[in-house]
Amino acid sequence: MNAERPNGRGAADDVADLAHRAGQLAGWAARTGFALGRKLPGVETAERGVRQVERQLLTELRRRLDEVDDPYHAALTAASAMNRPAAIEATVTLVPVRDNRGEPLRAAMAELLNHSVGFGRERAREYFYAIILRQLTPDEARILSALSDGSPFPAVDVVERTGLGGHGRVVLRNASTVGKAAGVSLPDQVPGYVTRLIGLGLVDLDEEVPSLETQYEILMTDETVREAEKHVRRAKFVRRTIHVSRLGAQFWQACDPSLG
């Protein structure tokens, strides 16, 4: 699957090179506080250029990752080599096929099981981290970078207050100041980004930290929070904190571009 090219480089080498280039760019932006200098002449135009290059690198990296050690990609490639009607019928009806070439899902599972036999501990970890990396957006990578030193950030849920002092439906979950600190491109999507990172196990949700009171007050003025407040008759704000999880710290240690 990792075919060698005439110059001796394989697809995995290309992925590593792209990852290094994307990492260098992200690391440079983080070290120089690039997102904080928008008021300087010409910086806004330069930032747009950096963001575009960053997106291009990450898009290409994700495409290469899709082609390296991806069992489903390999299975689909095998299925596409067959005539189209047969491949479609096999995929939909899951008619048993002896060599599994017509059934991408079964072939993908077989390839995963084969990998599990040959993988050592380090190779299995790299595979696991590559799968996680493939799911991250550039903004989510920036948030994870901001959390990587272990610092907690405030998080707030906006819920509807009930007559008994409890709370009902949640209208906004996991709003946080971490997005602004990270310099994300889509600030209004931060609650979704944080929720996804929690779902991936990279970020933990914890209790309120009183020492972050000032940051909670700033978060309460956030446009996304104030807009959510308009959708309930009586709003209740549930305060929490977010911080990098144990898995998130291990993942960042393996992918941290500044260590490359």
Side-chain angles (χ1 to χ4, degrees):
M1 214 182 315
N2 187 16
E4 291 289 334
R5 295 193 176 87
N7 61 3
R9 291 177 56 85
D13 297 310
D14 291 342
V15 168
D17 181 57
L18 279 164
H20 181 67
R21 289 165 59 198
Q24 284 182 319
L25 184 64
W28 171 81
R31 288 193 300 273
T32 57
F34 196 66
L36 302 179
R38 291 190 177 93
K39 295 183 179 180
L40 296 176
V43 168
E44 185 175 354
T45 301
E47 182 180 14
R48 284 198 299 269
V50 170
R51 295 281 185 150
Q52 181 177 3
V53 173
E54 180 186 58
R55 284 194 297 270
Q56 290 173 344
L57 283 172
L58 288 171
T59 298
E60 179 65 10
L61 173 60
R62 188 166 283 111
R63 185 184 71 80
R64 297 289 179 86
L65 281 169
D66 285 339
E67 296 176 357
V68 177
D69 287 335
D70 187 330
Y72 192 68
H73 179 273
L76 284 176
T77 301
S80 67
M82 305 172 65
N83 63 72
R84 182 173 295 273
I88 293 176
E89 180 181 0
T91 302
V92 175
T93 62
L94 294 180
V95 176
V97 179
R98 181 172 299 177
D99 59 8
N100 285 333
R101 286 183 304 165
E103 301 183 66
L105 294 176
R106 296 184 190 279
M109 179 58 73
E111 188 157 342
L112 280 175
L113 291 173
N114 289 336
H115 277 325
S116 71
V117 175
F119 274 10
R121 184 180 181 86
E122 290 304 315
R123 186 69 183 90
R125 182 181 290 110
E126 288 178 3
Y127 190 101
F128 177 46
Y129 289 165
I131 293 297
I132 294 176
L133 182 62
R134 188 180 303 161
Q135 298 178 69
L136 296 181
T137 68
D139 274 352
E140 289 166 348
R142 285 176 174 267
I143 289 175
L144 191 60
S145 175
L147 293 169
S148 63
D149 65 356
S151 300
F153 280 82
V156 164
D157 292 350
V158 181
V159 302
E160 188 171 32
R161 187 188 299 274
T162 65
L164 299 177
H167 57 81
R169 65 190 178 97
V170 179
V171 294
L172 180 66
R173 195 183 301 275
N174 299 325
S176 178
T177 58
V178 70
K180 289 183 178 179
V184 299
S185 299
L186 300 176
D188 58 318
Q189 296 301 317
V190 169
Y193 292 150
V194 172
T195 300
R196 273 174 40 85
L197 289 170
I198 292 172
L200 289 170
L202 302 176
V203 171
D204 280 341
L205 196 61
D206 217 330
E207 299 299 321
E208 175 185 358
V209 174
S211 62
L212 297 177
E213 179 61 32
T214 301
Q215 290 195 45
Y216 281 112
E217 292 177 0
I218 293 174
L219 180 55
M220 298 301 294
T221 67
D222 184 88
E223 183 178 344
T224 304
V225 174
R226 300 189 67 172
E227 181 62 29
E229 187 179 359
K230 297 177 183 177
H231 290 79
V232 294
R233 180 177 299 178
R234 292 190 302 167
K236 180 176 181 179
F237 303 96
V238 181
R239 293 183 174 189
R240 295 192 177 91
T241 57
I242 57 171
H243 56 86
V244 69
S245 68
R246 181 172 179 270
L247 171 61
Q250 293 171 339
F251 173 76
W252 184 257
Q253 178 68 21
C255 302
D256 185 352
S258 67
L259 301 180

